[in-house]
Amino acid sequence: MACGGVILSNSLSFYQKRIVMSSRVQEKNGGASIPHVLSVAGSDSGAGAGIQADLKTCAARGVYCSTVITAVTAQNTVGVQAVHAVPEDFVAQQLKSVLSDMQVDVVKSGMLPSVGVVKVLLQSLAEFSVRALVVDPVMVSTSGDVLAGPSILSTFREELLPMADIVTPNIKEASALLGGIRLETVADMCTAAELLHALGPRNVLVKGGDLPGSLDAVDIFFNGEHFYELRSSRIKTHNTHGTGCTLASCIAAELAKGSPMLTAVRVAKRYVETALEYSKDILIGNGIQGPFDHLLRLKSGSHSFRRKDAFNPSDLFLYAVTDSGMNKKWGRSMVDAVAEAIQGGATIVQLREKDAETRDFLETAKSCLAVCRSHGVPLLINDRIDVALASDADGSKLSKHGIGGADYIGCGGVYSTNTKANNPTIGLDGLKTVCSASKLPVVAIGGINASNAGTVMGMGVPNLKGVAVVSALFDRENVLAETKKLHALLMEASSSSKMQ
């Protein structure tokens, strides 16, 4: 860890001195509480950043998002051509309209173009309590355009940051907030995070996307006691407009759903990485920095989001079976896990959810189906024909024997596994016997991982079309990387067996 060990802070944030309502008034939706983020930010006419990015992010995360517009910008993929600040009294009226009527969990601030707007926001938060404040100190956009002048720096430092539960500056913004100090290394980022924390926010995330010479996208999270160095793959793409807004609004969305701060940050970073990977080749606009697809839907080609072809045995090649417990362990949603698996090369996805309420499972299935359809990957529902029909999934995997009309056979456990109790193993010989006798395509399942998947697929037996995996993908921190690795191993083994 480049930042060293534990650092204790003696500062007491203003947030801890603030009186916050301990209970939430529930939205009138059958008694269910609706996670709600209020974005206070500028409007981006090109829809890549600002309010538009926040709306799309919250929609992708399953959170309601209301808005207060602080400025209207004329911008596109080339840059920002003009900025028109909304009058402060009208910003105040927007805040009052939303906060006096709706039960907002988290406020996320973006572009605050004047000292007066900052003060209006703080006055509103003093009058209407919320659970958390996420501050994205927008001063310089990802493309380098200046969006807020130096006159509000002192107001940020002295009044806004002490109220924040987390502040999320990029390197240029962190430098500006700290008087222009140079940030060129991870160690510099750690120092900046500590100095910013001393200004009052409970947590600091210094984003290192522009860190010179770094092969990874490195962010530093500091909670006043511990530093966390968060790394992800640096995606080679020009479509990065709005990454800062998206990261902050995703953190806000996860906090609204009840996630702890570090978990929210990890989920947000993974979400941005997934969206950038998906969007790296799309083309919108003629400038040097394009937007990305928050909903992972723009590459469908037909835009119908429906698989029109019949079942293809080749779909079984890398069969990803989800596990909600594993995803919860690693702080990611089912939708994110599915998206990462598909990006890594999963050819079919089965949603397996034993304990969820039907309504929750159905909503998850619909969200996962949108991701699968946009990539042309079939989605099956485990043992729930009702959910499969209601969500319009491609099929249902049934565990009971003797059911006719099957398209394939799942054969296992090939090896011992912890994902099913008292699951007998048949070994490679048993798998060969089933494949030889079967008239249907066969997918091998049970204890298969990167250490043995090549052996299974390399047998070259008739009708064996793929392997199904659970923990080898989803009980890992980086689903995308693990899926890519396993897909490459299967491709190599399959090619070798065909040459024999």
Side-chain angles (χ1 to χ4, degrees):
M1 230 330 285
C3 299
V6 174
I7 294 180
L8 299 178
S9 172
N10 294 321
S11 64
L12 181 64
S13 77
F14 280 41
Y15 174 89
Q16 292 167 304
K17 299 176 182 178
R18 200 170 37 168
I19 299 176
V20 180
M21 292 170 61
S22 60
S23 62
R24 291 182 60 200
V25 178
Q26 294 184 328
E27 300 278 4
K28 294 180 180 179
N29 183 41
S33 179
I34 306 297
H36 187 149
V37 169
L38 167 59
S39 172
V40 183
S43 171
D44 173 3
S45 57
I51 285 285
Q52 287 83 351
D54 296 344
L55 285 166
K56 288 183 282 187
T57 300
C58 287
R61 305 309 305 173
V63 172
Y64 187 81
C65 183
S66 54
T67 61
V68 168
I69 297 177
T70 60
V72 179
T73 69
Q75 61 178 298
N76 51 28
T77 60
V78 177
V80 179
Q81 288 79 49
V83 177
H84 175 73
V86 173
E88 294 162 13
D89 60 346
F90 194 70
V91 172
Q93 185 60 60
Q94 292 179 77
L95 283 163
K96 184 176 181 180
S97 292
V98 175
L99 292 170
S100 66
D101 174 55
M102 301 177 178
Q103 302 302 321
V104 174
D105 295 293
V106 180
V107 170
K108 178 260 177 183
S109 70
M111 181 182 177
L112 304 175
S114 68
V115 171
V117 168
V118 176
K119 292 184 179 294
V120 163
L121 173 60
L122 294 176
Q123 290 167 1
S124 296
L125 292 178
E127 182 178 357
F128 301 100
S129 296
V130 297
R131 190 192 303 172
L133 172 63
V134 175
V135 173
D136 182 19
V138 176
M139 290 173 281
V140 181
S141 70
T142 311
S143 57
D145 294 291
V146 177
L147 300 175
S151 61
I152 66 171
L153 281 174
S154 61
T155 306
F156 272 28
R157 286 191 291 257
E158 297 169 12
E159 300 185 46
L160 183 61
L161 296 192
M163 294 292 288
D165 292 275
I166 185 170
V167 59
T168 63
N170 58 32
I171 286 180
K172 294 177 182 177
E173 290 160 348
S175 174
L177 287 168
L178 295 172
I181 66 172
R182 296 177 66 87
L183 303 179
E184 298 178 337
T185 66
V186 173
D188 292 340
M189 293 171 64
C190 293
T191 299
E194 187 178 4
L195 292 172
L196 288 170
H197 187 270
L199 296 176
R202 298 180 76 191
N203 302 275
V204 177
L205 180 68
V206 178
K207 301 173 296 190
D210 297 324
L211 189 68
S214 176
L215 297 178
D216 296 327
V218 185
D219 299 337
I220 297 298
F221 175 78
F222 182 55
N223 61 8
E225 295 183 351
H226 304 286
F227 289 101
Y228 296 85
E229 187 175 307
L230 308 178
R231 290 182 176 267
S232 62
S233 301
R234 186 178 292 277
I235 309 299
K236 294 182 179 180
T237 178
H238 294 296
N239 298 324
T240 58
H241 181 51
T243 49
C245 305
T246 299
L247 184 73
S249 56
C250 188
I251 292 171
E254 296 306 311
L255 292 176
K257 291 191 285 188
S259 295
M261 183 63 75
L262 181 56
T263 299
V265 170
R266 290 185 185 276
V267 169
K269 186 170 175 64
R270 189 177 297 116
Y271 166 69
V272 172
E273 180 186 11
T274 300
L276 288 177
E277 174 68 29
Y278 175 83
S279 309
K280 61 184 179 182
D281 298 320
I282 65 174
L283 181 61
I284 298 176
N286 299 308
I288 61 173
Q289 188 180 42
F292 54 94
D293 180 10
H294 294 73
L295 300 176
L296 310 182
R297 294 187 179 184
L298 295 180
K299 289 166 57 177
S300 67
S302 67
H303 299 287
S304 66
F305 309 118
R306 297 187 62 87
R307 277 178 57 89
K308 298 180 180 179
D309 50 336
F311 171 75
N312 188 334
S314 64
D315 289 337
L316 301 173
F317 186 67
L318 180 45
Y319 190 132
V321 183
T322 66
D323 187 289
S324 57
M326 294 175 187
N327 290 326
K328 184 176 180 180
K329 169 185 173 182
W330 291 102
R332 58 178 166 252
S333 70
M334 187 77 80
V335 178
D336 286 339
V338 168
E340 290 188 44
I342 292 174
Q343 290 284 344
T347 54
I348 190 169
V349 174
Q350 178 195 137
L351 288 190
R352 188 173 67 183
E353 179 60 82
K354 301 294 187 182
D355 302 319
E357 296 291 335
T358 297
R359 184 175 66 175
D360 294 337
F361 191 14
L362 178 58
E363 290 306 310
T364 298
K366 289 179 178 179
S367 297
C368 291
L369 184 64
V371 176
C372 290
R373 290 272 165 85
S374 69
H375 291 79
V377 171
L379 177 72
L380 307 182
I381 307 298
N382 181 70
D383 285 340
R384 292 293 300 270
I385 295 178
D386 58 334
V387 174
L389 291 172
S391 65
D392 197 28
D394 295 290
S396 180
K397 178 264 180 185
L398 301 176
S399 299
K400 294 181 180 180
H401 300 284
I403 296 178
D407 292 302
Y408 71 93
I409 293 175
C411 182
V414 179
Y415 302 101
S416 61
T417 175
N418 294 324
T419 58
K420 283 192 175 182
N422 303 317
N423 192 42
T425 58
I426 62 171
L428 294 176
D429 290 337
L431 177 61
K432 289 180 181 178
T433 300
V434 172
C435 289
S436 298
S438 175
K439 295 181 180 180
L440 293 174
V442 176
V443 59
I445 190 168
I448 298 173
N449 53 46
S451 68
N452 56 36
T455 301
V456 174
M457 283 301 291
M459 292 193 303
V461 296
N463 295 320
L464 180 61
K465 299 301 181 182
V467 300
V469 288
V470 187
S471 58
L473 300 185
F474 298 111
D475 198 14
R476 301 291 188 273
E477 182 175 7
N478 192 325
V479 175
L480 176 64
E482 295 297 329
T483 313
K484 284 182 176 179
K485 180 170 68 175
L486 189 56
H487 188 274
L489 289 170
L490 292 174
M491 288 293 292
E492 182 179 358
S494 180
S495 298
S496 298
S497 67
K498 291 178 182 177
M499 295 175 61
Q500 295 176 356

